[in-house]
Each structure stands twice: as C-alpha cells, then as structure tokens.
C-alpha cells in the first residue's frame, strides 16, 4: 500500500471551563506522552466514543494493548460539557417519527441508545459509582405553552403504541416537582439516566489498567499509514500502532476526514450559584428536556454547598470549531431570559459558570463511522446526542476493528455515508438561517 500522512490542521479549543469540571475535586492527570511506544490499537480522543471503544476492546480481547490519547485533560472536552442526559428514546419529540413506516428505524435508534446506557450501567455497578455520577432516575420533558402540551400528548400516545412506558403530568404535578408554576405540563419517561458527565468520563479513564494506557495533554499532530502499521506523532512522542480509532467527533475534519461533510455546531449552558434547598420547593434532583426541538433543557442538581439550576439553550454554527467571547456572552443573555421565564421568583440567582460545547452534524444525520483508510477507523459525528450515540459508535467501532458481530454493529454498518454539504458560503448562510428558524419555532419552549 502507498504510505499516507494526515496532518492535524488545528487542535481543539474548548473555551471556558464547564461547570461540571469546576464542581469536581482536583484530580491527578495521566502524564503526557514523551517517548516512543508500541501498541496494537491507538485511540485518538478520550470522550464518550474513545473511552467506550477502549472498554469494548478490553472486553473482547483482554490481551490487546490499547493506547488512548487526548489533546486535553479528560472531562474538559465536549463529552464533559454535555448536559448530562443519557436518553433512551428518539430525541426529537415533535418529529412524528413513530408511524408504521418508521417503526424499524425507531427500534434501531432505541437499541443504539440503550446499548450505551447498558454499557454505563455495567461500569457503574463494577466501579461502585454513586448516583451523583450515574442516576437511573428517568427524565422529564416540560411544556411552557399549549402547543408544547399538544406535542407531549402526541408523543405520549405514540410511545404507548410502541409499548414504551410514560406518564403525563398536569400543571399542578409539574409545580409540585419543580417548585415553579411556569410549566403547563410534563411527560416522564423512566428509561433515561442522569449523569455528571465530566465525573463519569474521568471515572472511566481513571479505571484503566494495563494493557490499556492513557496519555492526557497529548494531541495527535499527524497520522501516518503504511503496510507495516500506523504511526501517530504527538508533540513529544510517537505511537507505533497496528490500527487507529479516530474518536474526535468534529475534529476528524482537522485531519482531512469528512472534509466538506461535517457541520460544526455549538450549544451552550449556564449553571447558577448554589442556593439553599429551602429557597425552591419541589424535588432537589431532576432533569427535563424541552417540548420542542431546539428549546431549553433544565436540570436541578445538588451538592454539599447547596442546590443549583442548569440551563442549556442556544445553537450556533462555528465552522472553525471554536466559540468566541461574544458568542458566549449572547448565549448567556438568552439563558438569563429563559431562566427568568421559568423561575420568575428566583431571577435574582446569578450564573456562576457558563460554557459551550461542540457537536458535529451531517447533512443526512448519519455518523462518520467505519474504516476511513487502511488501518484507520472512525466513530465521529454524533449528530447532537453525544451521550448515547457517540458511546455506541465507539463500541461499534471497536467491534468492527476486532471482527466481532453484533446487532449494534449491523446498525452502524448499514448507515449511509455522510453526504457532502453545500458549498461555502451557502452552507454558512443556510446553517445559520436554519438554526435561527428552528429556535424561533421553539419559542418559549
């Protein structure tokens, strides 16, 4: 085969630290690579996909040597910036994708999500994680408007037709749960899991033992392929490997993979200062997605210093995979408005942490998955549901590399390839208009 080299044109820049990381105690990071090492498999990226791939490889072949590298410290990347929902059901609750024609597709989507949840449930049990890290509590969806309530009722009916348990809540029940009168209705689905995402990925990374090794603050600068194997160059070291799994989500494009096929979108979150639990009635721990796509996600969490509320909203197109200070400030202004609309009696609470996180989307909503080049495999492009889709992509990539057959692998291998995006500047204009229109459609939701 002809030797090829793929250079990284840029490295990740995640911006402001996430609130999830800020709340965690100090951790001793794994050292950066400063030598030459040889391994069977090197995984680039220690987020949901990369960590899941490493765990699955160890399950399938405990003797296989695996090196995982990350450009940053574990938990500071996109996975640790997630809003912390592992959702087992199709995400777009207003899509209407529950007809007879779409039944098989929806079942596959549910299998992908539940495979990821089962993966983490096993790790939680094996490593004795507490419910601050992994809480199989289910989740809610809340409606702020009559239109949102109609969406929830339709979704509930569709779920019941599929045999999926759920429970509708009226205004009084949502007030009892949340401590605020702002919501008109809610819907509870029991299969979702609430996680502290930064704590969870840190716990997985810290559980690695030989023959799985982790190097943090070790960006891949180049990937070279030849008949004898692959070489991954880092700032101070070199990794000789039989094969590579690329688990860098949108940064796959930095190496030239998926070029012109990945749409880079950021979403944003704010987390309040701690407050006394008695300040807000209702349950002290819950999470809710919006009753319309592109709406506002909310979580209430608690810790030793009191309770906090998280708001996630706002989507922007960022082709350079970075979010500037101005963009972050505008997102924060929207968060403050959304927060005041939902908790008017507590609008005095200040936001202590604000951050953004990158997603990679494709035109036809499929992952960048499978063998990209000889010896190079990918589990990238989460399409906005990173907690479950990225995890299952990592599992499926590991199985593909090993040659292990599973229903999950069948689903991922059956995906179409990502379609090319329209040429610039059309893609930029179209992406920004589409995001703005969908956020306008969401309205108060």
């Amino acid at each position: 085969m002809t030797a090829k080299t793929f250079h990284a044109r840029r490295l990740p820049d995640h911006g402001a630290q996430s609130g999830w990381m800020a709340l965690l105690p100090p951790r001793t990071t794994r050292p950066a690579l400063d030598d030459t090492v040889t391994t069977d498999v090197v995984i680039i990226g220690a987020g949901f996909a990369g960590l899941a791939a490493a765990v699955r490889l160890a399950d399938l072949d405990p003797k296989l040597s695996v090196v995982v590298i990350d450009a940053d410290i574990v938990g500071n990347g996109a996975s640790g910036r997630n809003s912390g929902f592992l959702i087992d059901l199709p995400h777009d609750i207003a899509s209407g994708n529950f007809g007879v024609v779409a039944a098989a597709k929806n079942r596959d989507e549910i299998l992908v999500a539940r495979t990821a949840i089962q993966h983490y449930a096993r790790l939680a049990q094996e490593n004795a994680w507490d419910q601050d890290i992994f809480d199989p509590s289910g989740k809610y969806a809340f409606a702020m408007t009559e239109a949102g309530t109609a969406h929830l009722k339709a979704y509930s009916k569709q779920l019941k037709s599929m045999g999926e348990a759920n429970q509708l809540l009226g205004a009084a029940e949502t007030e009892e749960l949340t401590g605020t009168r702002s919501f008109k209705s809610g819907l509870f689905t029991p299969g979702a899991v609430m996680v502290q995402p930064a704590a969870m990925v840190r716990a997985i990374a810290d559980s690695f033992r030989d023959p799985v090794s982790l190097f943090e603050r070790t960006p891949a600068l180049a990937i070279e392929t030849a008949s004898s194997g692959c070489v991954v160059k880092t700032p101070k070291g070199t990794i000789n490997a039989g094969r590579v799994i690329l688990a860098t989500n949108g940064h796959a494009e930095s190496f030239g993979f998926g070029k012109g096929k990945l749409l880079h979108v950021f979403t944003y979150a704010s987390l309040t200062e701690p407050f006394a639990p008695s300040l807000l009635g209702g349950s002290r721990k819950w999470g809710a997605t919006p009753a319309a796509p592109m709406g506002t996600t909310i979580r209430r969490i608690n810790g030793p210093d009191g309770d906090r509320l998280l708001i996630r909203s706002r989507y922007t197109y960022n082709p350079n995979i970075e979010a500037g200070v101005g963009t972050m400030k505008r997102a924060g202004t929207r968060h403050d408005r959304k927060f005041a609309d939902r908790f008017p009696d507590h609008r005095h609470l200040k936001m202590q942490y604000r951050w953004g996180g990158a997603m990679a989307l494709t035109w036809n909503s499929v992952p960048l998955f499978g063998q990209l080049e000889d010896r190079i495999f990918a589990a990238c492009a989460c399409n906005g549901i990173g907690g479950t889709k990225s995890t299952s992509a990592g599992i499926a990539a590991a199985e593909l590399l090993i040659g292990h057959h599973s229903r999950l692998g069948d689903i991922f291998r059956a995906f179409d390839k990502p379609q090319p995006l329209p040429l610039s500047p059309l893609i930029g204009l179209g992406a920004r208009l589409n995001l703005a229109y969908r956020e306008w459609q969401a309205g108060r939701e």
Side-chain angles (χ1 to χ4, degrees):
M1 61 169 286
T2 303
K4 296 182 179 180
T5 301
F6 305 93
H7 292 282
R9 295 189 299 109
R10 58 193 167 199
L11 297 176
D13 182 357
H14 302 297
Q17 183 185 48
S18 78
W20 297 121
M21 282 287 278
L23 295 179
L24 292 176
R27 163 183 169 268
T28 301
T29 61
R30 301 291 179 97
L33 179 66
D34 62 358
D35 201 352
T36 297
V37 297
T38 299
T39 186
D40 293 318
V41 181
V42 58
I43 298 172
I44 303 174
F48 291 136
L51 296 175
V55 171
R56 187 61 175 144
L57 287 172
D59 289 342
L60 293 170
D61 186 351
K63 295 181 180 180
L64 197 73
S65 60
V66 178
V67 168
V68 183
I69 62 173
D70 198 278
D72 208 322
I73 60 173
V74 173
N76 200 41
S79 296
R81 295 164 179 273
N82 187 281
S83 53
F85 290 74
L86 301 178
I87 301 173
D88 64 327
L89 297 168
H91 197 59
D92 186 349
I93 66 175
S95 66
N97 283 337
F98 288 88
V100 175
V101 176
K105 178 182 176 182
N106 288 312
R107 285 298 177 193
D108 285 350
E109 193 170 340
I110 291 170
L111 186 147
V112 167
R114 288 181 175 162
T115 297
I117 290 172
Q118 290 162 8
H119 167 84
Y120 291 123
R122 176 175 71 88
L123 294 178
Q125 183 176 33
E126 291 175 354
N127 295 286
W129 295 347
D130 60 34
Q131 289 191 340
D132 288 335
I133 296 179
F134 182 91
D135 187 0
S137 59
K139 78 161 188 76
Y140 296 87
F142 289 150
M144 294 284 292
T145 65
E146 294 297 342
T149 294
H151 285 317
L152 294 184
K153 288 180 177 178
Y155 186 53
S156 172
K157 183 178 179 180
Q158 292 159 345
L159 287 180
K160 287 178 180 177
S161 72
M162 296 176 63
E164 296 291 345
N166 66 92
Q167 179 186 354
L168 285 166
L169 288 72
E173 292 168 300
T174 56
E175 181 181 354
E176 183 179 3
L177 174 73
T178 65
T180 178
R181 298 183 296 276
S182 299
F183 301 111
K184 291 187 176 295
S185 62
L187 176 70
F188 176 72
T189 50
V193 175
M194 308 304 299
V195 302
Q196 209 286 28
M200 187 173 75
V201 295
R202 282 188 6 175
I204 296 169
D206 289 343
S207 72
F208 288 158
R209 300 291 182 270
D210 285 339
V212 179
S213 302
L214 168 67
F215 296 95
E216 298 178 71
R217 295 191 177 97
T218 304
L221 302 181
I223 306 170
E224 301 173 1
T225 64
S227 57
S228 58
C230 297
V231 177
V232 175
K233 298 289 185 65
T234 72
K236 296 182 179 180
T238 300
I239 305 166
N240 298 309
R243 285 157 292 182
V244 174
I245 293 179
L246 198 62
T248 55
N249 212 3
H251 273 282
E253 192 173 16
S254 301
F255 294 93
F257 299 114
K259 187 176 181 180
K261 298 178 182 179
L262 302 182
L263 192 68
H264 305 289
V265 173
F266 269 64
T267 188
Y268 305 87
S270 295
L271 188 65
T272 69
E273 61 189 357
F275 58 87
S278 59
L279 186 67
L280 177 65
S283 172
R284 293 187 60 201
K285 193 175 184 182
W286 51 267
T289 52
M294 308 288 283
T296 302
T297 295
I298 314 168
R299 282 189 64 175
R300 182 172 178 176
I301 63 174
N302 51 74
D305 58 350
D307 290 9
R308 297 173 186 263
L309 288 161
L310 177 147
I311 291 281
R312 190 195 72 176
S313 185
R314 184 66 176 133
Y315 296 82
T316 61
Y317 171 62
N318 301 70
N320 61 350
I321 326 183
E322 294 179 16
V325 174
T327 303
M328 190 69 250
K329 185 176 180 180
R330 288 188 291 274
T333 299
R334 177 170 298 195
H335 292 169
D336 293 344
R337 187 172 68 249
K338 294 284 188 179
F339 182 82
D341 194 23
R342 284 154 178 76
F343 301 96
D345 296 337
H346 302 83
R347 63 175 68 225
H348 62 279
L349 286 174
K350 293 181 173 60
M351 296 295 172
Q352 185 173 4
Y353 303 107
R354 301 191 194 270
W355 67 95
M359 301 184 291
L361 315 180
T362 60
W363 194 256
N364 50 335
S365 300
V366 298
L368 178 65
F369 174 83
Q371 189 164 346
L372 304 180
E373 292 280 344
D374 188 52
R375 302 180 181 273
I376 300 179
F377 299 77
C380 301
C382 63
N383 283 284
I385 312 176
T388 51
K389 286 189 175 180
S390 288
T391 299
S392 285
I395 294 170
E399 293 179 349
L400 180 63
L401 185 148
I402 289 290
H404 176 84
H405 177 263
S406 71
R407 176 61 188 141
L408 179 72
D410 290 341
I411 292 170
F412 273 87
R413 285 193 300 272
F415 282 124
D416 293 333
K417 299 300 181 184
Q419 295 176 353
L421 298 168
L423 296 176
S424 181
L426 292 179
I427 182 57
L429 178 63
R432 291 184 176 95
L433 287 175
N434 182 265
L435 290 172
Y437 174 71
R438 294 185 67 185
E439 287 186 322
W440 174 80
Q441 274 190 316
R444 287 186 68 200
E445 301 296 348

